[in-house]
Amino acid sequence: MNFFSATGIVFRRQLRQNLRNPVWIIIGLAQPVLYLCLFGPLLKPLASQIGTSNAYTFFVPGLLLQLGLFGALFAGFGLVSEWREGVIEAERVTPAPRTALLLGRVLRDCALVAVQGVVLIALGFAFGLRGDVGGMLLGLIITVLLGGACSSASYALGLATKSEDVLAPILNSIALPVMLLSGIMLPISVATGAPKWLVWLSDVIPTKYVVNGIRTAFTGDLLAGPTVWAFAWAAIFVAAGLWIGTRTFRKDA
Amino acid sequence: MIRARGLARTFQTRRGGEQVTVEAVKGVDLDVEAGEIVGFLGPNGAGKTTTLRMLTTLLAPTGGTATVAGHDLASDPVGVRRSIGYVSQSGSTASAGVKAGEEIVDHGLLYGIDRARAEARGRELFEQLDLAGMWGREPKTLSGGQRRRLDIAMGLVHDPGLVFLDEPTTGLDPQARANLWVHIAGLRQRLGTTVFLTTHYLDEADALCDRVLVIDHGEIVAADTPDALKRQVAGDLIELVLGDPSHVSLAAEHLARIASDSATDVNGAVVSGRVPSAGLELPGLLRSLDAAGVALASIEVRRPTLDDVFLTMTGRSLRDGR
């Protein structure tokens, strides 16, 4: 069984299931859209204080990261229910490479994050986001990469634990601090008056550099340090996520 | 079709902070010929599913060797997967967001079959398994028996010569079970498929299987035809229910004269014992009881079942283990 065609078969089957029940795609988009609509306007008068001329050019990259992180991090739940229905085992006894079973699913998640990201950026535009088109595209790519990394790791965790009860506390205890310390909503920097310990704490959270990089990219600075760092971190995350996912899918489950 | 030697699987678990090795399967030897329907019988936790998962490449053995459908389990697992069908206990299809027909076509594609052939084969299987008209239905809208037959169709889409069925009728009502037996027996009849099924229903093994392997505590304790296994249990069981409980010892004395090993069992007003052949012994027994003045409320004769076999082999009932 060819690796790429097996990946394609799994991808198509998964995507078809999503399209039949698009309500989850919409729910996944609801959180960042609500932040955009209900929190974004509060940032507008603070734009100069947080060191930007356009609050949405600051805020939308953060929401993109949130989308990539949260949308994909909870993908493992779907895998647990697929496992319970016997779908995973049924696929594992076929000659299809087991890595293809993972990759087809991860690519499906990447596709969903990409579509959701485009919708989010377009909505941001309606609110007043302005930026460089190439930069926004790069920001979207970084987001999708991050989403792929998260979904792969989440599938690994789902397959290893096979229990929503174990998955939920683990994922929540990762997601919330990461989101708060990445400076998605407000910048975490001494320049804008954040306490030193908090800045130090956020400095060790790699996703902070991803958000900063996407912000820089949005301004059109594609080769600036922060943008390159964001891309590098996203690549590292993808490599790590796929490594742990592949390892778990190849093992006995 | 299957040849396993010393197949074993141990698991490492922690119990009270101490590393413990659990031997789920302790070294199973088994042979299945092409065209056989073989039942794998044992209580839950006996090692049935673990053995099955090893033979279907879902779990790597920690010891032993096996050849399945002509391919070595350790060196050519993909070859094994290509040649076998597996229908797990939990099913094979998503319940919502998919259609029965799509699931079987996608499954065929994963075996490298082209779309047109997968669809033709799927429709043919739907016809044979009484699923005609279910092609466009969501699996969750099917009845339990239909869903199970869909799972079996999934396992057959690539025409495997060997099918593994893990407790195929668990959770089905009696009518659906009997119907499924007909379909499973039909697999061999029509396609010459070899069937290896696990079950903890004795009547299922009795009705369906040419041979039965009994597994307990991770070891095969018996392997033979259902009839030969039943012959190993010493004869038919006679149960005398006495009208007057004070006669039990007298009745037991009379039964012991004809019982194998002179062994009888007394439980309240019920005296029971096994005799080589109840048909031959019963008239004489009744006459002698009558002459001794022992009145019977009722009498029951039972041919040995596989449950009795299991009890004889392991000293406990199949049902205890469940």
Side-chain angles (χ1 to χ4, degrees):
Chain A
M1 186 75 217
N2 183 304
F3 177 79
F4 293 102
S5 57
T7 304
I9 294 160
V10 174
F11 172 77
R12 213 158 359 92
R13 177 176 176 279
Q14 293 285 330
L15 195 63
R16 188 172 54 211
Q17 266 178 285
N18 284 121
L19 294 179
R20 276 219 183 107
N21 207 348
V23 66
W24 289 107
I25 306 178
I26 295 163
I27 288 174
L29 195 53
Q31 203 184 0
V33 166
L34 283 176
Y35 269 110
L36 181 73
C37 299
L38 305 181
F39 189 80
L42 301 178
L43 279 180
K44 226 173 160 179
L46 302 174
S48 58
Q49 265 169 281
I50 56 180
T52 175
S53 55
N54 182 330
Y56 289 98
T57 311
F58 167 85
F59 192 42
V60 171
L63 293 178
L64 270 181
L65 183 93
Q66 194 194 10
L67 183 76
L69 217 58
F70 279 70
L73 206 52
F74 291 89
F77 283 94
L79 189 98
V80 174
S81 79
E82 278 196 291
W83 181 81
R84 202 160 283 142
E85 287 179 325
V87 175
I88 304 293
E89 289 234 311
E91 290 181 353
R92 286 170 74 89
V93 289
T94 70
R98 287 178 175 168
T99 313
L101 307 179
L102 169 72
L103 202 64
R105 288 176 167 80
V106 170
L107 288 177
R108 182 268 317 259
D109 295 322
C110 289
L112 293 185
V113 168
V115 170
Q116 291 171 324
V118 169
V119 173
L120 188 65
I121 291 174
L123 264 173
F125 237 82
F127 273 86
L129 163 75
R130 294 295 174 266
D132 179 71
V133 175
M136 287 195 274
L137 193 67
L138 184 65
L140 191 64
I141 290 170
I142 292 172
T143 306
V144 168
L145 285 177
L146 199 69
C150 289
S151 87
S152 183
S154 180
Y155 286 136
L157 199 59
L159 191 64
T161 64
K162 297 185 186 71
S163 158
E164 289 95 345
D165 296 336
V166 180
L167 216 52
I170 295 178
L171 293 182
N172 277 316
S173 58
I174 296 172
L176 199 60
V178 165
M179 192 183 92
L180 287 173
L181 289 172
S182 303
I184 285 176
M185 316 232 222
L186 291 165
I188 303 179
S189 126
V190 183
T192 53
K196 257 198 186 122
W197 62 269
L198 190 58
V199 175
W200 180 82
L201 205 58
S202 77
D203 279 347
V204 299
I205 303 286
T207 44
K208 174 183 178 174
Y209 305 104
V210 179
V211 188
N212 285 342
I214 300 176
R215 279 178 187 142
T216 312
F218 266 46
T219 62
D221 229 346
L222 299 191
L223 293 174
T227 316
V228 175
W229 269 115
F231 197 80
W233 273 114
I236 290 169
F237 277 125
V238 166
L242 285 179
W243 178 74
I244 189 171
T246 309
R247 243 191 75 175
T248 314
F249 265 64
R250 282 197 182 149
K251 265 202 317 211
D252 294 338
Chain B
M1 219 22 139
I2 306 176
R3 182 188 156 89
R5 289 294 172 268
L7 205 59
R9 174 75 202 199
T10 55
F11 291 101
Q12 304 289 333
T13 55
R14 292 197 159 273
R15 199 174 294 154
E18 219 176 310
Q19 193 86 12
V20 183
T21 305
V22 180
E23 292 185 290
V25 174
K26 290 180 189 161
V28 161
D29 294 343
L30 59 86
D31 293 277
V32 174
E33 298 301 320
E36 272 193 303
I37 298 184
V38 174
F40 202 35
L41 193 73
N44 280 351
K48 276 188 317 247
T49 299
T50 305
T51 305
L52 200 70
R53 288 169 56 82
M54 287 195 280
L55 292 174
T56 52
T57 76
L58 286 170
L59 197 62
T62 47
T65 58
T67 310
V68 179
H71 301 273
D72 186 73
L73 197 59
S75 64
D76 186 14
V78 175
V80 173
R81 285 179 214 148
R82 221 184 290 279
S83 323
I84 63 165
Y86 169 63
V87 180
S88 82
Q89 252 177 81
S90 41
S92 321
T93 61
S95 39
V98 296
K99 290 174 178 161
E102 291 170 352
E103 285 290 79
I104 199 163
V105 171
D106 279 343
H107 204 58
L109 295 178
L110 284 179
Y111 279 99
I113 302 171
D114 67 71
R115 181 170 291 277
R117 240 192 69 207
E119 173 151 359
R121 180 72 183 127
R123 293 210 181 258
E124 193 186 341
L125 283 166
F126 270 47
E127 203 67 51
Q128 287 167 359
L129 292 167
D130 283 340
L131 289 168
M134 304 294 155
W135 190 265
R137 291 266 292 270
E138 266 193 326
K140 71 172 175 198
T141 67
L142 303 180
S143 74
Q146 289 169 336
R147 185 105 191 240
R148 216 75 194 99
R149 295 203 297 277
L150 173 62
D151 293 334
I152 292 177
M154 296 275 287
L156 293 174
V157 67
H158 55 297
D159 290 306
L162 169 65
V163 187
F164 292 89
L165 306 174
D166 195 6
E167 305 201 354
T169 64
T170 300
L172 295 185
D173 60 75
Q175 214 181 339
R177 289 182 67 207
N179 172 275
L180 200 61
W181 291 350
V182 174
H183 284 296
I184 293 171
L187 288 182
R188 174 182 45 192
Q189 227 163 38
R190 269 198 326 271
L191 310 165
T193 312
T194 308
V195 181
F196 188 87
L197 63 94
T198 69
T199 183
H200 51 221
Y201 294 123
L202 300 146
D203 55 343
E204 188 159 289
D206 216 353
L208 211 51
C209 302
D210 306 320
R211 275 197 315 131
V212 175
L213 312 176
V214 183
I215 187 168
D216 191 39
H217 294 306
E219 286 172 294
I220 303 246
V221 293
D224 216 327
T225 64
D227 280 335
L229 284 176
K230 282 189 275 188
R231 270 200 299 276
Q232 291 185 21
V233 180
D236 304 338
L237 183 74
I238 295 182
E239 259 184 20
L240 307 170
V241 183
L242 303 186
D244 182 350
S246 66
H247 286 150
V248 281
S249 57
L250 193 55
E253 209 175 289
H254 281 269
L255 188 56
R257 274 182 216 149
I258 54 166
S260 329
D261 306 330
S262 306
T264 58
D265 220 22
V266 177
N267 185 3
V270 181
V271 181
S272 58
R274 290 199 181 274
V275 301
S277 167
L280 291 176
E281 306 286 355
L282 211 50
L285 175 66
L286 290 178
R287 266 199 306 275
S288 69
L289 287 173
D290 223 19
V294 178
L296 295 179
S298 74
I299 183 163
E300 226 172 297
V301 175
R302 249 185 274 146
R303 302 266 307 132
T305 64
L306 285 171
D307 200 6
D308 299 322
V309 174
F310 196 79
L311 191 66
T312 314
M313 300 283 169
T314 67
R316 59 202 178 87
S317 164
L318 246 188
R319 289 185 183 88
D320 292 346
R322 288 178 56 185

